[in-house]
């Protein structure tokens, strides 16, 4: 029998397949490069102009040759472009790492490349073996308690969640009939990015924003800036203990995936106690398909692992959401995907 050169008779991997593996092997290096550049404010310093390594190094107080090497690496990652030898400018992707541009992802990049979030990932293999949350293992406390003790990091987290919500906030208000409700209660709504977008698009309902004191820290500024301070009531509390009464639509955006099934059922039961029979629950989360689609890179599966590593939650399928809603006293009514590039779905449930 003839072979193509491998002992097992299989053809050697082609260049495309090797590129896939190489990108994954070196992916952490790219993440660390991005994190260092964001923490050094490289993209903000370049702004809409150009820079030279020596000039940027003088501004940043960094070593010129090392700065040049960082700029070249960022150009290799398509975040910068070298317009002439030794002259660099941001690309369209790099512009998203400038805090002054619409749709900026600076806080997202800063938060998710923070060394504290990387520590749990260093122990991923242990997490796979045990099913335990490795952030807790690394720091001896859970993620949200860790944030509570570090106000600056907590504020950065809130800003990152606001930036991560902007894409959904642009799509959600036009994809659901919020105008038929009197009061929308955003449970775990942070600074109110999504609730604000909904109320600005639908003038009839009022809003209640419910979160911990740390979660609501930036909400007054956001609501005042959006002209909604008189339409939204801020309520502090713990959704594991209760949900605020007074709403006929209860909204959960990027809350359910943070927690395990029993914890999620507890949150839903508290909402069920206060939602009227004619009210509704709207969950905004990714929905995993029953089978992983071939040929696509889907970051939702990495988010699923991040939930395991960082907070102990998980991403879920439609079947999972139906079962979870039933445990919480709701009946899943519909699931509507938001338009791409959103990964989120609108999951509507009604009191059972």
């Amino acid at each position: 029998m003839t072979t193509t050169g491998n002992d097992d008779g299989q053809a050697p991997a082609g260049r495309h397949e090797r590129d896939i593996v190489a990108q994954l092997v070196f992916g952490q290096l790219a993440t660390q490069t991005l994190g260092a550049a964001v923490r050094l404010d490289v993209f903000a310093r370049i702004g809409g102009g150009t820079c030279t390594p020596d000039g940027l190094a003088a501004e940043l107080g960094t070593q010129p040759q090392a700065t040049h090497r960082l700029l070249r690496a960022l150009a290799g990652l398509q975040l910068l472009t070298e317009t002439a030898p030794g002259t660099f400018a941001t690309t369209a992707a790099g512009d998203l790492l400038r805090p002054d541009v619409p749709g900026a992802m600076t806080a997202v990049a800063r938060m998710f490349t923070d060394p504290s979030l990387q520590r749990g990932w260093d122990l991923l293999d242990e997490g796979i073996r045990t099913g335990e949350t490795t952030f807790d293992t690394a720091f001896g406390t859970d993620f949200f308690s860790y944030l509570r003790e570090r106000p600056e990091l907590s504020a950065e987290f809130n800003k990152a969640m606001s930036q991560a919500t902007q894409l959904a906030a642009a799509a959600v208000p036009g994809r659901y009939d919020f105008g038929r409700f009197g009061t929308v209660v955003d449970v775990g709504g942070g600074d109110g990015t999504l609730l604000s977008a909904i109320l600005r698009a639908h003038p009839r309902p009022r809003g209640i924003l419910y979160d911990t004191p740390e979660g609501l820290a930036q909400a007054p500024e956001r609501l005042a800036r959006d002209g909604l301070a008189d339409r939204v009531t801020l309520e502090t509390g713990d959704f594991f203990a209760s949900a605020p009464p007074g709403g006929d639509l209860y909204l959960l955006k990027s809350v359910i995936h943070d927690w395990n099934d029993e914890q999620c059922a507890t949150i839903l039961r508290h909402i069920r106690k206060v939602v009227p029979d004619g009210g509704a629950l709207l969950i905004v989360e990714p929905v995993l398909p029953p089978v992983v689609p071939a040929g696509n890179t889907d970051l939702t599966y990495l988010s699923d692992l991040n939930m395991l590593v960082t907070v102990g939650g998980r991403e879920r399928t439609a079947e999972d959401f139906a079962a979870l809603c039933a445990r919480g006293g709701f009946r899943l009514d519909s699931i509507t995907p938001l338009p791409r590039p959103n990964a989120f779905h609108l999951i509507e449930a009604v009191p059972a």
Side-chain angles (χ1 to χ4, degrees):
M1 181 179 71
T2 60
T3 71
T4 56
N6 285 357
D7 290 341
D8 60 7
Q10 296 181 356
R15 180 173 179 177
H16 173 68
E17 290 75 18
R18 294 182 66 85
D19 285 346
I20 291 174
V21 175
Q23 287 175 8
L24 295 174
V25 168
F26 289 101
Q28 186 178 24
L29 306 187
T31 299
Q32 296 297 335
T33 300
L34 170 61
V38 170
R39 288 189 292 273
L40 288 168
D41 287 330
V42 166
F43 301 97
R45 295 297 185 114
I46 297 173
T50 61
C51 75
T52 63
D54 288 349
L56 186 62
E59 285 191 52
L60 299 179
T62 53
Q63 200 274 338
Q65 186 186 72
T67 302
H68 191 187
R69 294 164 74 175
L70 174 63
L71 294 174
R72 289 189 309 196
L74 293 170
L77 293 172
Q78 301 183 59
L79 298 173
L80 299 180
T81 181
E82 191 167 13
T83 58
T87 301
F88 295 86
T90 56
T91 62
D95 285 339
L96 294 176
L97 299 166
R98 294 168 45 198
D100 60 325
V101 302
M105 299 176 67
T106 312
V108 174
R110 192 185 300 270
M111 190 69 205
F112 282 90
T113 62
D114 188 88
S116 60
L117 265 71
Q118 297 299 310
R119 284 281 299 280
W121 277 92
D122 291 341
L123 302 174
L124 176 60
D125 51 347
E126 178 179 336
I128 299 301
R129 281 195 294 268
T130 66
E132 299 297 323
T133 305
T134 52
F135 184 95
D136 298 11
T137 303
F139 292 99
T141 188
D142 67 272
F143 176 69
F144 292 107
S145 295
Y146 183 89
L147 287 183
R148 196 156 44 242
E149 296 171 359
R150 294 161 177 81
E152 288 187 6
L153 188 62
S154 180
E156 194 69 46
F157 175 77
N158 290 344
K159 189 174 181 180
M161 294 303 97
S162 177
Q163 287 186 352
T165 299
Q166 287 175 1
L167 194 63
V172 168
R175 299 280 166 165
Y176 188 75
D177 183 14
F178 292 96
R180 63 192 171 97
F181 298 99
T183 301
V184 179
V185 182
D186 192 349
V187 177
D191 76 343
T193 296
L194 180 57
L195 182 61
S196 177
I198 291 168
L199 296 184
R200 282 185 284 122
H202 298 272
R204 177 175 178 263
R206 296 184 59 83
I208 296 174
L209 193 58
Y210 182 68
D211 211 322
T212 63
E214 297 81 17
L216 292 175
Q218 285 74 42
E221 179 183 353
R222 155 75 63 181
L223 295 172
R225 186 169 64 246
D226 291 347
L228 293 168
D230 61 340
R231 286 179 64 194
V232 178
T233 301
L234 302 183
E235 293 198 25
T236 60
D238 177 1
F239 48 47
F240 291 122
S242 65
D248 48 355
L249 175 65
Y250 284 76
L251 179 66
L252 288 167
K253 159 55 171 77
S254 297
V255 170
I256 293 299
H257 74 169
D258 283 342
W259 309 103
N260 63 39
D261 287 355
E262 185 54 44
Q263 291 170 314
C264 290
T266 297
I267 295 170
L268 296 183
R269 289 186 195 113
H270 287 312
I271 294 174
R272 181 63 188 93
K273 288 179 183 178
V274 295
V275 67
D277 287 342
L281 169 70
L282 189 65
I283 299 170
V284 184
E285 297 269 359
V287 177
L288 296 176
V291 176
V292 179
N296 292 318
T297 300
D298 192 336
L299 298 181
T300 308
Y301 296 100
L302 291 180
S303 175
D304 184 40
L305 284 180
N306 190 51
M307 296 301 106
L308 168 65
V309 163
T310 308
V311 291
R314 65 188 181 99
E315 306 293 356
R316 292 174 170 87
T317 64
E319 183 178 353
D320 293 329
F321 279 111
L324 201 57
C325 287
R327 289 183 63 179
F330 290 89
R331 174 178 56 80
L332 195 154
D333 193 52
S334 66
I335 297 179
T336 305
L338 294 180
R340 290 290 181 181
N342 262 295
F344 291 101
H345 293 62
L346 300 182
I347 304 158
E348 184 179 29
V350 295

